[in-house]
Amino acid sequence: MSSAIRPDATTFSGIEPTVLPMGPVLVASDASAEAEASFPLAQVVAAHGHASVEVITVMQPFAMPMYGIEAVAIPLDTNTAAESARVRAIRDQMARLLPKDAKWPVTALTGEPVREIVEHARRSNARMLVVGRGRHGAVDRVLGGESVLRLLQLGDTPVLAVEHGMTTLPRRVVMATDFSAFSLYAAQVGMSMVAPDAIVHLVNVGPPFVAVDAALHTQAAAYREQATQGFAMLHERLERDDVVFKDILLEGNASDALLAYAKVADADLIVLATHGYGFLRRAVLGSVAAELVRRGACSLLIVPGSARTLATARAQSATAAQVRAFDAAMMDDELASFTKRNAGRACSIEIDALDFGAQMLGHELPLVGATFERAARSAIFMFGASSIDGQHLAHTIPGATNIELLTNGGGRDQALRIVHGSGQTIITLH
């Protein structure tokens, strides 16, 4: 966000539609006390958005210093014991902090933590990455200095940095806006997790206008008029009957003004976007986002500018997409054709059921094949390394009553939805 950007009456006109990601809520934890803040809030955010949750932890590879050269990372078998201990510690955290029915999968990786987290979030199309603020704890100590900023610089996933003690959906929310497409998208992401009856403060920080200069009086009046129009357009796109909006126009240094206002409003969440594409954004993160990460006293939701670009691509794909229901008498033939087209493609499997909610069974599982047994009305999917001689995992979905196939505008299969007695299973092709 930049206080130097002047709002324009046509700011939102012609903005392409966006679609929020529909992957899991991804929690990053190193099993430390500082990371615990992320678990309760991830649980309520996921329940509110009907999302699955996955926990990711990353082990630093063993580095052996060698004379005369730089340290070289050498993975050793002994790291397996440390990885198992980390996973057990995280499961202990979950047992203490979450309801008993929260059976989230825990994925353990080895590598440079921020990069591994970023890549995993990208592969799983995560809708949000949740981390504990940590301050000088987990985020800084284990994941590396200023890790929230690095997650934003390297990644495309919205990052929710949770302050300790926040366990419910936010009710006092400050959304920073410069009336750009980026800040609009960040606000849309933020609105997906605010509580009913929340108060949302839409805050724009304009440049300081010196009262003694008549010319600046004119500029200030024009800025206020255009900001009013910008707020009105935000209302059109964000309006919810159960949320109260307040339009706030401030002047001065953007980060200082936002921090001061958030304190006055007793905000429990600040929402803002970063800007720019490619090298420029990755080289220098917006100073406002950086200042809020370093100095903010409440939880933060920060949305990289590239996240909106991906959301636009999703919308374009959805516009051209087609959904086709399989004929009941032809399900076995349809699944055989589906196998022929997609064998070897990586898949994610999610189950949505009334009794236990949404559960992610796995990511990046290569498809081996799919069949349908008429007698039991069971759809059977096989996943593994090879369709000929490799071991594979079979997943049976009994009582399938309907199967729908989603294809994109180019005719490429995107997802299967299998409706069964207790809910539905969704297989997403990557």
Side-chain angles (χ1 to χ4, degrees):
M1 195 189 80
S2 171
S3 60
I5 294 180
R6 180 172 176 169
D8 188 288
T10 60
T11 300
F12 292 149
S13 64
I15 287 181
E16 296 174 280
T18 56
V19 173
L20 299 179
M22 295 304 292
V25 171
L26 191 61
V27 177
S29 174
D30 66 347
S32 67
E34 291 86 350
E36 293 186 355
S38 59
F39 287 90
L41 190 58
Q43 194 269 330
V44 296
V45 168
H48 180 72
H50 306 289
S52 60
V53 186
E54 180 185 354
V55 182
I56 181 172
T57 189
V58 183
M59 305 291 295
Q60 291 273 18
F62 179 84
M64 178 182 295
M66 300 180 68
Y67 180 76
I69 63 173
E70 199 173 310
V72 178
I74 304 175
L76 299 177
D77 291 340
T78 52
N79 202 42
T80 303
E83 182 178 290
S84 298
R86 171 75 65 82
V87 171
R88 286 196 300 272
I90 288 174
R91 294 199 183 280
D92 287 343
Q93 285 183 316
M94 294 167 57
R96 286 187 288 104
L97 299 168
L98 300 173
K100 292 183 178 180
D101 59 350
K103 306 296 184 183
W104 301 346
V106 179
T107 299
L109 302 175
T110 299
E112 197 282 313
V114 170
R115 292 186 181 276
E116 292 293 336
I117 291 169
V118 162
E119 289 302 318
H120 192 79
R122 191 173 285 145
R123 288 193 300 269
S124 60
N125 191 30
R127 65 182 68 189
M128 190 174 295
L129 175 61
V130 187
V131 299
R133 281 292 297 274
R135 302 303 178 96
H136 304 292
V139 170
D140 286 333
R141 175 175 53 79
V142 175
L143 300 183
E146 307 250 299
S147 295
V148 171
L149 298 180
R150 291 192 64 222
L151 289 168
L152 293 164
Q153 287 174 320
L154 298 178
D156 307 304
T157 305
V159 176
L160 176 60
V162 184
E163 191 71 18
H164 184 75
M166 186 176 184
T167 60
T168 61
L169 295 176
R171 284 183 164 79
R172 300 178 302 279
V173 182
V174 169
M175 292 188 176
T177 181
D178 58 8
F179 307 112
S180 68
F182 298 102
S183 60
L184 170 61
Y185 180 70
Q188 291 171 323
V189 176
M191 290 300 296
S192 71
M193 60 169 288
V194 302
D197 303 321
I199 299 176
V200 174
H201 306 254
L202 301 173
V203 180
N204 173 261
V205 184
F209 295 105
V210 181
V212 297
D213 191 323
L216 291 178
H217 276 290
T218 303
Q219 292 182 18
Y223 191 100
R224 284 191 290 270
E225 180 181 351
Q226 292 172 346
T228 299
Q229 296 176 23
F231 284 129
M233 288 185 285
L234 275 172
H235 282 258
E236 290 179 8
R237 287 158 175 78
L238 304 177
E239 202 72 52
R240 254 175 49 182
D241 292 339
D242 59 346
V243 172
V244 174
F245 288 91
K246 293 186 176 182
D247 301 337
I248 308 297
L249 183 59
L250 305 175
E251 293 182 4
N253 176 274
S255 55
D256 289 343
L258 279 169
L259 289 169
Y261 185 80
K263 184 176 181 180
V264 170
D266 193 23
D268 47 22
L269 180 70
I270 299 175
V271 180
L272 73 157
T274 66
H275 292 73
Y277 296 96
F279 176 78
L280 181 61
R281 179 179 67 85
R282 297 180 190 280
V284 183
L285 187 70
S287 60
V288 177
E291 283 297 302
L292 264 63
V293 167
R294 293 167 182 150
R295 297 165 51 198
C298 65
S299 299
L300 304 169
L301 173 63
I302 307 180
V303 182
S306 56
R308 182 193 173 272
T309 305
L310 295 177
T312 302
R314 282 190 294 270
Q316 292 172 343
S317 176
T319 300
Q322 295 183 353
V323 177
R324 178 172 63 86
F326 287 0
D327 186 291
M330 298 293 291
M331 281 189 183
D332 44 358
D333 292 337
E334 292 278 13
L335 287 178
S337 297
F338 174 81
T339 297
K340 185 176 180 179
R341 292 192 303 271
N342 298 294
R345 288 181 65 183
C347 302
S348 296
I349 313 172
E350 176 183 329
I351 297 179
D352 299 323
L354 293 176
D355 52 351
F356 59 81
Q359 296 286 339
M360 185 64 65
L361 295 187
H363 293 299
E364 299 296 317
L365 300 175
L367 177 69
V368 172
T371 61
F372 185 77
E373 292 186 353
R374 290 175 179 271
R377 297 194 62 82
S378 295
I380 304 172
F381 293 85
M382 287 74 72
F383 304 93
S386 169
S387 59
I388 300 174
D389 57 0
Q391 294 183 344
H392 65 265
L393 168 71
H395 178 64
T396 301
I397 305 171
T401 58
N402 189 38
I403 300 180
E404 296 176 346
L405 174 66
L406 171 69
T407 59
N408 65 16
R412 185 173 171 81
D413 296 342
Q414 298 292 293
L416 271 182
R417 175 175 177 262
I418 303 98
V419 180
H420 41 85
S422 60
Q424 64 181 1
T425 297
I426 299 174
I427 298 177
T428 305
L429 296 154
H430 299 188

